[in-house]
Amino acid sequence: MVKDMTSYIYDTLRDEILSLVLKPGDDMAENRICERFSSSRTPVRTAIQRLSDAGLVDIAPYQYTKVSLIDFSIAKQMIFLRSVVEAKILKALMKQADAFMIEDLEHIIRKQEILLSSNFEAPAFYALDTAFHSYFFSKTDNAYIWSMLQNNVHYTRLRMLDIVEVKDFISIVDEHKKMLAMIRQRDEKDAEGIISCHLEGGIRRIRERSNGRYSGYFRNYNKE
């Protein structure tokens, strides 16, 4: 029972941290979590330690337990890595894309457009954005690489911050359409450019449109 409660607390808090329901720097006081989950201290402490091991919580004994800040430097490095890899993946997809693949990608974009015309929660858009890009990797037999790229808590939260707080959904969809046009035309010449521009867009939008109000969510924020 304790093990099940520990996993439940861990999974719930992890999802809330990654989706920014719990924001960087938010207090994670043990007694509050015990009250929230009607739990004893043992499973709560174990869950918090697991979150700390995953890089999602910072613990200073007898001082504080908080949601960790997003490491801006690490997130930028992940964007650089993904840009290099995904440009190659996009080119590989162009070589093999058939009418069925084009239709699949068009369908994802159409679902994004339908979503934008309705009342929706930002995580629903995040899921479709992820589906669009993960398709590139899965269809080129690179699903494992995709899972590795997605398994970074700093980069995941930066992406979610862009979607949940900045909310420039139209720009993201427009760039998806440009990628689809390139795939349809098998136009490889600007694959690096469009991928870099698209993946770096989150940082650009956060800096240009936030007026610095999210700088407290980051560490190493001013490092270029």
Side-chain angles (χ1 to χ4, degrees):
M1 183 65 181
V2 171
K3 182 178 180 181
D4 290 343
M5 177 58 75
T6 298
S7 296
Y8 174 67
I9 294 170
Y10 171 80
D11 290 342
T12 301
L13 295 177
R14 180 181 184 277
D15 288 346
E16 290 180 352
I17 293 170
L18 290 176
S19 64
L20 297 186
V21 173
L22 292 172
K23 295 177 172 52
D26 278 359
D27 181 68
M28 295 286 283
E30 186 179 293
N31 61 335
R32 291 188 190 175
I33 297 173
C34 288
E35 290 175 7
R36 175 184 172 185
F37 290 96
S38 300
S39 171
S40 64
R41 291 186 180 274
T42 298
V44 168
R45 285 176 179 169
T46 304
I48 289 175
Q49 186 58 56
R50 286 178 61 191
L51 291 167
S52 176
D53 293 343
L56 291 168
V57 166
D58 289 335
I59 301 173
Y62 308 108
Q63 297 181 53
Y64 62 78
T65 301
K66 297 181 179 180
V67 176
S68 66
L69 299 182
I70 301 169
D71 192 308
F72 190 73
S73 176
I74 291 175
K76 279 194 67 178
Q77 290 176 61
M78 290 302 301
I79 290 171
F80 175 74
L81 175 61
R82 183 176 161 188
S83 296
V84 173
V85 172
E86 192 159 341
K88 292 184 178 295
I89 297 290
L90 181 59
K91 288 181 180 181
L93 185 70
M94 289 176 190
K95 289 181 171 65
Q96 66 185 67
D98 57 22
F100 293 102
M101 293 183 184
I102 299 296
E103 177 64 28
D104 287 342
L105 291 169
E106 286 178 340
H107 184 60
I108 295 171
I109 290 175
R110 179 58 184 150
K111 286 198 289 187
Q112 289 178 323
E113 292 176 327
I114 292 171
L115 198 67
L116 296 188
S117 67
S118 64
N119 291 322
F120 68 95
E121 297 293 329
F125 186 88
Y126 180 91
L128 287 174
D129 178 66
T130 298
F132 184 80
H133 289 278
S134 66
Y135 190 90
F136 299 173
F137 289 78
S138 65
K139 289 300 179 181
T140 56
D141 295 324
N142 288 297
Y144 180 71
I145 295 176
W146 174 257
S147 68
M148 289 178 60
L149 292 171
Q150 297 306 294
N151 195 30
N152 183 279
V153 297
H154 301 289
Y155 179 44
T156 296
R157 287 190 291 164
L158 184 141
R159 284 183 64 206
M160 187 60 76
L161 179 63
D162 178 34
I163 288 174
V164 171
E165 300 289 349
V166 181
K167 300 181 179 180
D168 188 0
F169 307 114
I170 293 175
S171 292
I172 295 172
V173 174
D174 285 345
E175 289 170 1
H176 286 174
K177 290 178 180 177
K178 290 178 182 177
M179 287 180 223
L180 179 57
M182 292 173 64
I183 294 169
R184 185 183 287 111
Q185 297 163 14
R186 303 183 189 276
D187 181 9
E188 297 183 14
K189 66 179 182 294
D190 196 33
E192 289 86 357
I194 185 65
I195 289 294
S196 293
C197 179
H198 183 65
L199 298 182
E200 292 170 4
I203 289 177
R204 187 170 59 251
R205 287 185 289 268
I206 289 168
R207 282 184 157 165
E208 290 176 355
R209 305 183 188 191
S210 69
N211 296 317
R213 69 179 180 274
Y214 302 126
S215 59
Y217 287 180
F218 296 93
R219 59 174 179 259
N220 301 320
Y221 185 65
N222 294 319
K223 290 186 177 181
E224 293 298 330

